[in-house]
Amino acid sequence: MKKVSPYVSIGSAEAAEIDLDLSRLVIDKQPRLRLERKTSSFHEQSWSELPHYSSNDFPAGPDSPFSSESHFGAEPHPLFNEAWEALRKSVVYYRGQPVGTIAAVDHATEPEEVLNYDQVFVRDFVPSALAFLMNKEPEMVKNFLLKTLHLQSSEKMVDRFKLGAGAMPASFKVDRNSNRNTETLVADFGESAIGRVAPVDSGFWWIILLRAYTKSTGDVTLSQSAECQKCMRLILNLCLAEGFDTFPTLLCTDGCSMIDRRMGIYGYPVEIQALFYMALRCALEMLTTDGEGKDLIEKIRHRLHALTYHMRNYFWLDFPHLNNIYRYKTEEYSHTAVNKFNVIPESIPDWVFDFMPSRRGGYFLGNVAPAMMDFRWFALGNCISIISSLATPEQSSAIMDLIEERWDELVGEVPLKICYPAIENHEWRIVTGCDPKNTRWSYHNGGSWPVLLWVLTAACIKTGRPHLAKHAIELAEARLLKDGWPEYYDGKMGKFVGKQARKFQTWSIAGYLVARMMLEDPSMVTMISMDEDRPTKQTMRRPASWSC
């Protein structure tokens, strides 16, 4: 696969202003995936047939108008109870209190091969936290937020080099000393990680989870506490620091996110930019306006303005934009240049021309940087772009059009491809450093990750396509328990359990639970999704046909 230069000037030069007024949440689209559907039941109808809503319109939980019946019938799937049982077995206790869930409970793994799968990861815990919040069990989530907050103040040294004060740990473990009868939390900020890379996404996930906790419980005392306010400021000040960069996107290294090994995502990976955007918007809701918060809020607003414009214009790719790039002239100079970042048309990989539908469909590119554009499709970045409303309603609809059009390639037999396509042969050797775990269609190189089911479901519901989520969940239910809840699947269609995949991977279990609970009670999506700003709030009235 060939790479293309990053900052393609896709938008017109006149579009210098960003429209941060996001006025529409639900896009009416007719499903093209052939599924058996009944129109007599509310839960078998498309979300787009319902009135528009905002996150304040529905109380989450049993009082929601959506909780009266299930998308899957009155009785829960047998897998649902099995999943809860497995998730509870992964809970970690510190001084008698639950503080998180370990990455995997794979009893078949030899002790020397456990690596760090017995630790609590910040990013891994997010779906577990959402599952417990949706089940009205917020205690562990609150404990987790407070413990990781305190770990942030730990000394962060990697080979005598000190990390920024705002860096959050990648993971932590409970160190028990039986002789002294003591327990200590030990954090890993990247000094023990494969490749020694500090996580960029941990701080963003922490802020996003803090908002989810607040939305779920209605308790603002935690987010408004001095400790949480300081934690958010430290994280965001680290990201908003002024430097030499001329782009509003966040520059970072390979291996700093869910794709935590060398995969050629250095620069401005879409996953980090989408999480950055979402964390900024979450922080705006929670930061107080007194003291340091007031100045930070102003910085966030300026950054959001530029970041939104940049992502929606330079990272977006659909058929018309692809055609424009194909016809680019190079070596243009001055402010009037169309090809602003000197993209070489010959660097467009051949697979893109067949992958991109000519009528409907589009996505945010994997990476955009000077003279380098990564045309790969990345699942998490595109789904988070929909959930956070970084994508416009039209772009959100186009992303879902593409997923539906390329269902076999992007979803396959087990949802969901982490990226598409896989890199192989000489490019694999150069990009991954001959990484034996990231061979083609495996692990992070085109593998299928069940944990991504929850972000796919949230995106489906928000864009009015719950039938797609239902089909994806049914595919997962046919395999997950039988295969022992693997970490990932291999192969072009995701047919095979990953060659080095851990069994009973906690976020595979939690991702399924969150997806199923959201589809059965769509109001729960508002815990994690971001509404678009509207000039006026529309009142949601419950139709007489809805009964509890």
Side-chain angles (χ1 to χ4, degrees), residues 160-175:
R160 303 182 184 181
F161 181 74
K162 188 175 182 180
L163 276 67
M168 293 292 283
S171 63
F172 66 84
K173 63 181 178 180
V174 180
D175 186 14

Side-chain angles (χ1 to χ4, degrees), residues 289-505:
T289 56
D290 51 339
E292 299 177 66
K294 184 176 181 180
D295 292 336
L296 183 58
I297 287 172
E298 192 62 26
K299 286 183 180 179
I300 291 173
R301 285 175 175 158
H302 282 298
R303 188 62 165 262
L304 278 172
H305 186 77
L307 181 62
T308 308
Y309 175 79
H310 189 92
M311 293 296 296
R312 291 178 178 177
N313 285 273
Y314 303 134
F315 271 70
W316 181 251
L317 187 73
D318 55 18
F319 185 80
H321 292 148
L322 179 60
N323 206 163
N324 289 341
I325 299 170
Y326 179 72
R327 291 170 50 81
Y328 269 163
K329 296 178 180 178
T330 58
E331 303 300 323
E332 293 183 302
Y333 180 77
S334 85
H335 296 288
T336 60
V338 175
N339 186 0
K340 292 183 179 180
F341 304 100
N342 202 37
V343 176
I344 311 301
E346 286 73 19
S347 62
I348 302 174
D350 293 337
W351 64 265
V352 175
F353 297 102
D354 294 326
F355 179 72
M356 179 63 69
S358 59
R359 293 182 58 211
R360 300 195 300 181
Y363 64 104
F364 286 104
L365 293 167
N367 209 324
V368 175
M372 185 276 286
M373 178 175 284
D374 187 345
F375 282 88
R376 284 176 295 177
W377 180 89
F378 286 86
L380 185 58
N382 277 275
C383 288
I384 291 294
S385 296
I386 293 174
I387 297 167
S388 66
S389 291
L390 170 59
T392 66
E394 293 76 17
Q395 288 173 336
S396 296
S397 181
I399 293 170
M400 297 310 300
D401 283 340
L402 181 72
I403 291 174
E404 195 169 347
E405 184 76 20
R406 299 289 179 243
W407 185 266
D408 288 344
E409 294 95 328
L410 302 181
V411 179
E413 295 195 10
V414 179
L416 173 69
K417 285 285 177 213
I418 192 170
C419 69
Y420 181 89
I423 52 178
E424 50 190 322
N425 301 325
H426 179 67
E427 186 178 15
W428 167 78
R429 288 189 286 273
I430 297 298
V431 172
T432 74
C434 297
D435 186 353
K437 197 168 184 178
N438 268 336
T439 53
R440 63 176 184 171
W441 308 114
S442 180
Y443 201 48
H444 293 141
N445 188 14
S448 298
W449 290 70
V451 63
L452 295 170
L453 188 62
W454 80 265
V455 289
L456 174 63
T457 300
C460 287
I461 293 173
K462 189 175 179 185
T463 54
R465 308 190 192 197
H467 60 287
L468 295 181
K470 180 177 184 292
H471 188 49
I473 290 172
E474 288 170 343
L475 288 173
E477 286 176 336
R479 294 289 303 272
L480 289 178
L481 182 59
K482 180 178 67 174
D483 295 334
W485 302 100
E487 180 184 15
Y488 63 94
Y489 286 81
D490 286 352
K492 257 192 172 184
M493 295 287 291
K495 287 184 178 181
F496 309 102
V497 175
K499 57 186 176 183
Q500 295 188 43
R502 292 299 194 278
K503 296 295 185 72
F504 290 92
Q505 185 79 14

